[in-house]
Amino acid sequence: MKKFQAEIDVMPKKEILDPQGKAVTGSMKNLGLAEIHNVRIGKHITLEIEADSAETAHSKVDLACKNLLANLIMESYSFSVAEVS
């Protein structure tokens, strides 16, 4: 078995209101950063997985995202998988 590390980003879909991002966007003016707009806040997840191949690891991470890590109604996700030694 090989070890892999996955880096996963889960973000609210563009059409979904992001109240936390909206609050941070509004606060940027108070920090003198009025030129920053449309902040979106999501989650970054890392995990390690043991698998026979990168393809298998990729498939397992995709399944974890679909079934547990992301709410597909409101969120989208992307990830990368890399072998670690």
Side-chain angles (χ1 to χ4, degrees):
M1 288 282 207
K2 299 176 184 176
K3 268 192 184 174
F4 297 89
Q5 181 167 339
E7 302 279 338
I8 305 162
D9 290 312
V10 180
M11 295 295 294
K13 290 184 176 180
K14 300 274 187 222
E15 59 273 10
I16 300 292
L17 179 65
D18 179 7
Q20 190 176 11
K22 189 172 182 114
V24 170
T25 299
S27 296
M28 290 296 174
K29 294 176 191 167
N30 298 336
L31 297 174
L33 299 170
E35 62 275 4
I36 296 177
H37 304 280
N38 299 321
V39 176
R40 307 282 295 171
I41 296 180
K43 301 177 276 191
H44 182 78
I45 302 161
T46 61
L47 57 84
E48 289 184 1
I49 183 169
E50 291 183 0
D52 293 327
S53 67
E55 184 176 275
T56 300
H58 189 278
S59 177
K60 298 277 184 182
V61 171
D62 190 46
L63 190 61
C65 290
K66 286 179 181 172
N67 292 331
L68 179 64
L69 302 176
N71 177 345
L72 298 181
I73 295 170
M74 300 178 1
E75 298 171 319
S76 60
Y77 66 91
S78 62
F79 64 90
S80 62
V81 175
E83 188 172 353
V84 294
S85 47

